Amino acid sequence: MEEEDQRKVTDLVIELVRRLLSQQNPQNASPNSPHFSQSLRYALRILSSRLTPSVSPDADAVAESIKRRLATQGNSSDALTFADLYTKFASKNGPGSVNNKWAVLYLLKIISEDRKNAISGMDSPVFLPNLGLIDDEMGNDLRVLNAKENREKAWKNGVLLVSKDPENLREISFREFGNLVEEENEVTEEVLVRDVLYACQGIDGKYVKFDSNLDGYALSDSIKVPRATRTIVRKLCELGWLFRKVKGYISESMDRFPAEDVGTVGQAFCAALQDELSEYYKLLAVLEAQSTNPIPLVSENPSSGNYLSLRRLSVWFAEPMVKMRLMAILVDKCKALRGGAMAGAIHLHAQHGDPLVHDFMRRLLRRVCSPLFEMVRSWVLEGELEDIFAEFFIVGQPVKAESLWREGYQLHAGMLPLFISQSIAQRILRTGKSINFLRVCCDDRGWADAATEAVAAAGVTTRRGGLGYGETDALESLVMEAAKRIDKHLLDVIYKRYKFKEHCLAIKRYLLLGQGDFVQYLMDIVGPELSEPANTISSFKLAGLLESAIRSSNAQYDDPDILDRLRVKMMPHGTGDRGWDVFSLEYDARVPLDTVFTESVMTRYLRIFNFLWKLRRVEHALIGAWKTMKPNCLTSHVYTKLQHAVKLQLLSTLRRCQVLWDEMNHFVTNLQYYIMFEVLEVSWSNFSNEMVVAKDLDDLLAAHEKYLHSIVEKSLLGERSQTLYKSLFVLFDLILQFRSHADRLYEGIHELQARTAESSLSSRDKNKPRQTKDKSSEPGSWIREGRKALTQRASEFLQNMGQELDALATEYKSLLEGFLSQLPVQQHVDLKFLLFRLDFTEFYTRQHATM
């Protein structure tokens, strides 16, 4: 069958040659003509040639080219006709249709172009003549496509057009090019390929070696190769230089492990790099296998075949080069880093738009961050800080139990990777701190159940490696659930087991003097003792008096544990200090409450207590003065016995004393009301509300700090109110001086009454013998000197007391005006309301305006 087809094709070619020659010269068309034999051999050689055309076998492209050529020549109607015919031609498939349609179209296109060359006089006697067709006949040739389909189905492989090269000049050129290449290259390309593969493994080849001056692999200058070859070898060997850097880093780090500057994260980074190098080794093994195959010549169709050239090697190295460059950059960045800082630096390079780089970095980071995420899991769920090499962003230090929460664990910002936000890091820190606080300070194990519930709610696993890079949502969910449950459990323990609210209320009642009956009784019984010099007072006696005050007031019904924590404290004192100056109360806040009531916090409570104690002492002094000054019958007897002038003097002195007491009492009463209600009670109410809404221990500490700060600032104890505070204490000292003056005044009045009564008795009993020696016989006695001397002494005493009271009143007025003038400029708004309360009737304002 094959021989019959070949015979039919030969007959068709003979007929074609005969017809072409008969149009030029009928004599040449004879089979015996030499010209006919030469033309027939030329036609058969064309058909049997193996050279392929320079176009791709695409029928649509050839048809589009023909249609465009017709349109540019101005034959638009022919272009439309061709398009319609091609549509019908291309739609016919199946038995009886032409398989190689593109070859038919290509043949017609070439024939048309050859016909134009013939018209231009390009015919040669050596070649076959063109058909003598006119230009309009091309459309007819196209129209007969459909009629010739059945005959064209025998053209299985199409008609191939080659350059008209009767002597195969192309093959000669290929051989000459090969010889030229051999002359220009001292080393074959196969050898260079193998040397490049060695260099990419960090090994010197026969010709390609590492040059320390160039800091890279290169061909020796003595080797004769073209500049292009030398350049491509240098570019390919960059991969070896990068490999050398990455491999050196891995070896150096592993040699230094377990040094602290490497750590587990650095070890994981080296392991991830080693895994990537393993994949790189596999690629080199495949390439080395291909490098053993010879590189074909250009004339031997080099596009096919399993061989390896330098140009093919550059294609193979494209992806490994990107990865190796990235690894080399990471190695340079991470040399001086460790732990979370290293993970953060690598994370910065993962923000890349190239999918190849992004996937590579994600795979690398999952390995690198594995130890870091394991530390997070262990800390959040177990409270264990597994950080031997100081790589974690949470650092711990040994401290006392009372400082565990504030100082035991801190956030190390330098080790915090960028893919963990600051808020999540704070939650992670607080969750682990809560577990350790419960375990160490509260001796509680309930946090384990809370951690288990958190894992179940977050839907993650507790096994190692359950969390990894890229699972930020899972990490955040686990941290949020664990923090919520463990913090709630911690607050429950603080509130219920250790009665935090009750202890805060006890401090308010005893240290902030909110328990009125207790404070009043305590001041009554310790007053005589505190009036003594400080160095003569016994702390044990004061402790006994404190117990008496507790038993004699409603404080006796408090929890015994609370009362047991209340103690007397004597502050350091110097020469001349009285008991009032050094007496104070303290509250023993034990673990874990000492986390809130730290030493510094209790020092601030002590400052508040001293201020309130001084205020209560001043109030107590004024009450004592009032008890002495209240109207009684003693003055009525004096009035009847004294002269009118002395009576007026006495009444004036008493009135001035009473008026001054009223002014001082008004000031102290309003100041105490402001402190006890607008400062202490309002601050306590706000603190109670914030305790209810607190979600964790940090919120509770912040609420208590705000509460204490509010009291300090509103009570004139803040840094900005020191001038006002000093003025207030000068006023307090002046009021205490007034108490001593009032006591002297009324003691003198009592003595005047007694002497006057004795003078009257002496007058009635002057004739009776004196059996005993009384005070009237004592030297210097008012009675002994007679009534006139008594009256003179009384006048002098009242005059002196009046002058002292006037001086005291003047000084008090000046100090009070200075104190009131400073209140409007205070930054705290509540201090301005204190001015409104003290000067409600604008008495002091009008008085100041008239001066």
Side-chain angles (χ1 to χ4, degrees):
M1 186 67 181
E2 185 175 349
E3 294 179 358
E4 184 180 355
D5 292 340
Q6 188 175 1
R7 184 178 55 78
K8 290 181 180 181
V9 170
T10 304
D11 293 342
L12 289 173
V13 172
I14 292 173
E15 181 64 21
L16 177 63
V17 171
R18 188 184 62 78
R19 290 189 180 188
L20 290 173
L21 292 177
S22 64
Q23 292 181 6
Q24 185 179 16
N25 187 355
Q27 295 180 356
N28 293 336
S30 172
N32 298 324
S33 171
H35 195 273
F36 178 83
S37 300
Q38 184 181 5
S39 299
L40 179 61
R41 285 196 305 273
Y42 178 64
L44 291 175
R45 196 179 76 180
I46 291 175
L47 294 178
S48 60
S49 174
R50 295 181 180 178
L51 295 177
T52 58
S54 59
V55 297
S56 59
D58 188 351
D60 293 335
V62 177
E64 185 65 25
S65 174
I66 294 173
K67 185 169 62 175
R68 188 165 55 251
R69 182 169 178 273
L70 291 173
T72 54
Q73 290 176 353
N75 300 325
S76 302
S77 59
D78 290 343
L80 293 174
T81 303
F82 171 76
D84 183 56
L85 290 173
Y86 173 70
T87 302
K88 295 178 181 179
F89 177 64
S91 62
K92 291 188 177 183
N93 295 314
S97 62
V98 178
N99 292 332
N100 241 343
K101 295 183 176 62
W102 81 273
V104 176
L105 294 175
Y106 189 70
L107 174 64
L108 294 176
K109 180 175 181 293
I110 295 303
I111 289 174
S112 175
E113 292 174 353
D114 283 352
R115 183 192 60 199
K116 282 193 172 295
N117 292 336
I119 294 173
S120 302
M122 296 296 294
D123 286 342
S124 172
V126 179
F127 304 137
L128 290 173
N130 291 300
L131 294 174
L133 300 175
I134 59 177
D135 291 343
D136 294 338
E137 289 179 292
M138 182 176 180
N140 296 330
D141 291 340
L142 296 173
R143 294 187 189 97
V144 300
L145 275 174
N146 194 30
K148 294 182 179 180
E149 273 187 298
N150 292 332
R151 284 184 296 165
E152 291 170 352
K153 63 183 178 180
W155 300 348
K156 299 289 183 181
N157 298 320
V159 178
L160 306 178
L161 180 71
V162 297
S163 62
K164 301 168 183 179
D165 182 12
E167 304 299 332
N168 285 334
L169 297 178
R170 186 174 182 180
E171 294 183 5
I172 297 173
S173 299
F174 284 152
R175 285 195 299 270
E176 292 179 353
F177 175 74
N179 295 332
L180 182 61
V181 169
E182 290 180 359
E183 291 177 1
E184 291 184 351
N185 288 272
E186 183 179 339
V187 183
T188 62
E189 189 171 4
E190 290 92 338
V191 174
L192 290 178
V193 167
R194 283 195 294 271
D195 272 18
V196 168
L197 291 177
Y198 288 147
C200 291
Q201 300 174 62
I203 305 172
D204 288 345
K206 185 176 181 180
Y207 301 102
V208 179
K209 298 181 180 181
F210 185 81
D211 189 343
S212 57
N213 295 326
L214 297 175
D215 190 23
Y217 289 93
L219 277 168
S220 175
D221 294 337
S222 60
I223 300 174
K224 182 181 180 182
V225 291
R227 179 179 298 177
T229 302
R230 190 179 297 276
T231 301
I232 194 172
V233 167
R234 180 72 182 274
K235 288 182 178 180
L236 291 174
C237 287
E238 180 188 355
L239 187 61
W241 181 82
L242 296 172
F243 169 83
R244 184 188 179 103
K245 173 180 285 191
V246 175
K247 185 66 177 177
Y249 172 79
I250 295 174
S251 301
E252 181 183 356
S253 298
M254 290 296 98
D255 290 342
R256 287 188 291 116
F257 189 81
E260 184 174 331
D261 57 344
V262 178
T264 57
V265 175
Q267 188 182 19
F269 179 48
C270 291
L273 293 178
Q274 190 62 52
D275 288 347
E276 295 298 329
L277 292 185
S278 298
E279 295 297 323
Y280 173 69
Y281 290 147
K282 293 178 183 179
L283 173 64
L284 291 182
V286 173
L287 295 179
E288 284 185 352
Q290 292 186 10
S291 67
T292 58
N293 299 326
I295 301 176
L297 298 175
V298 180
S299 59
E300 297 176 357
N301 193 12
S303 61
S304 62
N306 192 18
Y307 65 93
L308 195 63
S309 64
L310 291 176
R311 294 189 178 276
R312 285 196 171 193
L313 199 57
S314 64
V315 176
W316 277 105
F317 280 176
E319 182 175 331
M321 187 75 77
V322 173
K323 292 182 179 180
M324 200 67 73
R325 281 175 181 166
L326 195 54
M327 286 191 286
I329 292 173
L330 295 179
V331 163
D332 287 336
K333 290 286 185 181
C334 297
K335 277 185 177 180
L337 300 177
R338 57 188 174 86
M342 177 184 288
I346 298 174
H347 167 74
L348 286 176
H349 292 81
Q351 313 304 309
H352 203 286
D354 188 347
L356 172 66
V357 176
H358 183 75
D359 293 342
F360 170 76
M361 292 301 302
R362 191 179 184 86
R363 184 171 64 252
L364 189 70
L365 275 167
R366 189 164 185 86
R367 291 288 303 275
V368 171
C369 296
S370 178
L372 204 61
F373 278 88
E374 177 55 29
M375 293 178 194
V376 173
R377 185 202 65 80
S378 177
W379 174 254
V380 169
L381 299 180
E382 302 170 10
E384 297 292 340
L385 195 58
E386 298 179 354
D387 187 18
I388 303 174
F389 302 104
E391 302 173 283
F392 199 31
F393 54 84
I394 294 173
V395 294
Q397 57 183 349
V399 293
K400 296 180 180 179
E402 63 187 31
S403 304
L404 178 65
W405 184 266
R406 285 186 170 87
E407 303 174 6
Y409 302 98
Q410 302 292 336
L411 200 63
H412 187 188
M415 288 295 174
L416 180 63
L418 296 178
F419 51 83
I420 298 179
S421 65
Q422 188 74 21
S423 59
I424 293 297
Q426 289 291 346
R427 287 184 181 273
I428 293 172
L429 171 64
R430 192 181 65 248
T431 304
K433 280 202 306 184
S434 298
I435 294 176
N436 282 279
F437 185 80
L438 286 167
R439 182 164 50 204
V440 176
C441 299
C442 302
D443 194 22
D444 180 81
R445 294 292 181 270
W447 56 267
D449 296 334
T452 304
E453 293 174 4
V455 171
V460 298
T461 178
T462 58
R463 63 178 177 82
R464 290 181 175 269
L467 291 173
Y469 178 81
E471 299 176 358
T472 308
D473 293 339
L475 173 65
E476 185 173 349
S477 176
L478 175 63
V479 172
M480 294 288 286
E481 294 294 335
K484 180 173 65 176
R485 285 167 170 76
I486 294 175
D487 287 337
K488 182 178 181 301
H489 178 71
L490 173 57
L491 290 182
D492 288 343
V493 171
I494 291 291
Y495 287 153
K496 297 177 182 178
R497 181 176 171 184
Y498 291 98
K499 302 179 181 179
F500 176 76
K501 295 179 181 178
E502 288 79 356
H503 287 288
C504 288
L505 184 58
I507 290 176
K508 174 180 175 291
R509 292 168 61 188
Y510 298 118
L511 294 191
L512 303 184
L513 308 184
Q515 186 73 26
D517 57 341
F518 163 77
V519 175
Q520 186 63 43
Y521 191 81
L522 178 64
M523 192 160 286
D524 289 338
I525 63 176
V526 301
E529 286 290 329
L530 297 182
S531 299
E532 301 295 328
N535 54 4
T536 63
I537 299 176
S538 171
S539 300
F540 298 101
K541 187 173 182 180
L542 291 178
L545 294 176
L546 175 63
E547 291 291 334
S548 299
I550 291 174
R551 290 194 299 269
S552 302
S553 63
N554 288 329
Q556 62 182 314
Y557 302 112
D558 275 346
D559 188 344
D561 178 60
I562 290 176
L563 297 177
D564 184 57
R565 296 169 183 257
L566 188 62
R567 299 170 184 173
V568 172
K569 179 180 180 181
M570 299 296 288
M571 294 184 295
H573 54 272
T575 306
D577 288 338
R578 295 284 175 175
W580 291 105
D581 301 322
V582 299
F583 174 82
S584 64
L585 296 179
E586 67 175 353
Y587 195 82
D588 183 19
R590 301 162 192 162
V591 178
L593 297 180
D594 55 0
T595 299
V596 180
F597 304 115
T598 61
E599 185 176 349
S600 63
V601 168
M602 298 311 294
T603 301
R604 292 161 72 185
Y605 271 119
L606 180 60
R607 287 188 63 203
I608 300 172
F609 171 82
N610 291 332
F611 169 71
L612 297 177
W613 184 253
K614 188 71 174 282
L615 180 59
R616 283 301 185 97
R617 179 192 173 191
V618 171
E619 181 196 24
H620 188 266
L622 288 176
I623 293 174
W626 171 249
K627 290 178 181 180
T628 305
M629 294 166 56
K630 65 182 179 179
N632 51 49
C633 61
L634 82 93
T635 56
S636 62
H637 297 290
V638 177
Y639 294 156
T640 59
K641 306 295 181 181
L642 296 177
Q643 294 181 359
H644 180 69
V646 178
K647 287 181 183 180
L648 292 178
Q649 193 176 9
L650 174 62
L651 291 175
S652 175
T653 303
L654 292 176
R655 184 179 180 279
R656 276 182 286 181
C657 184
Q658 183 69 45
V659 169
L660 187 55
W661 181 90
D662 287 336
E663 291 184 9
M664 292 180 174
N665 185 64
H666 168 77
F667 172 73
V668 172
T669 302
N670 283 280
L671 178 61
Q672 186 178 23
Y673 177 88
Y674 163 77
I675 295 295
M676 300 307 296
F677 292 95
E678 295 189 18
V679 175
L680 297 181
E681 291 300 331
V682 171
S683 299
W684 173 258
S685 176
N686 294 335
F687 179 44
S688 299
N689 295 333
E690 291 180 358
M691 274 196 290
V692 173
V693 299
K695 296 181 180 179
D696 52 65
L697 188 55
D698 280 334
D699 289 347
L700 189 61
L701 291 172
H704 180 263
E705 179 63 26
K706 182 180 178 182
Y707 163 68
L708 193 55
H709 179 75
S710 174
I711 295 175
V712 169
E713 290 296 324
K714 293 181 181 181
S715 300
L716 313 179
L717 301 176
E719 293 295 332
R720 297 176 297 181
S721 306
Q722 287 302 304
T723 305
L724 202 61
Y725 175 77
K726 293 176 181 178
S727 300
L728 183 60
F729 267 61
V730 173
L731 279 170
F732 286 167
D733 292 338
L734 196 63
I735 293 173
L736 294 176
Q737 291 180 28
F738 167 76
R739 167 65 191 274
S740 65
H741 281 71
D743 288 344
R744 285 174 51 201
L745 173 62
Y746 282 92
E747 285 177 3
I749 294 174
H750 276 284
E751 186 177 356
L752 180 60
Q753 179 192 16
R755 298 296 181 253
T756 304
E758 290 179 4
S759 177
S760 299
L761 291 175
S762 176
S763 299
R764 288 195 300 266
D765 300 336
K766 61 181 179 179
N767 296 322
K768 294 182 180 181
R770 297 182 180 178
Q771 302 295 329
T772 59
K773 185 179 179 181
D774 56 12
K775 293 183 179 180
S776 61
S777 63
E778 295 177 0
S781 174
W782 290 7
I783 304 302
R784 186 181 176 199
E785 296 177 1
R787 185 176 297 276
K788 183 178 179 181
L790 178 63
T791 302
Q792 184 179 356
R793 287 292 186 89
S795 176
E796 292 176 358
F797 170 73
L798 293 174
Q799 184 179 1
N800 292 334
M801 290 303 303
Q803 291 175 356
E804 292 180 5
L805 287 175
D806 288 342
L808 206 62
T810 302
E811 185 178 1
Y812 174 77
K813 182 179 178 181
S814 175
L815 290 173
L816 182 61
E817 287 180 356
F819 178 80
L820 295 177
S821 65
Q822 295 180 57
L823 286 177
V825 300
Q826 296 301 310
Q827 296 185 4
H828 207 291
V829 67
D830 286 344
L831 293 177
K832 298 178 182 179
F833 284 106
L834 174 60
L835 173 62
F836 175 74
R837 175 170 292 280
L838 291 174
D839 195 19
F840 180 75
T841 61
E842 298 184 353
F843 170 79
Y844 296 107
T845 303
R846 290 195 300 270
Q847 190 179 47
H848 181 71
T850 58
M851 293 180 61

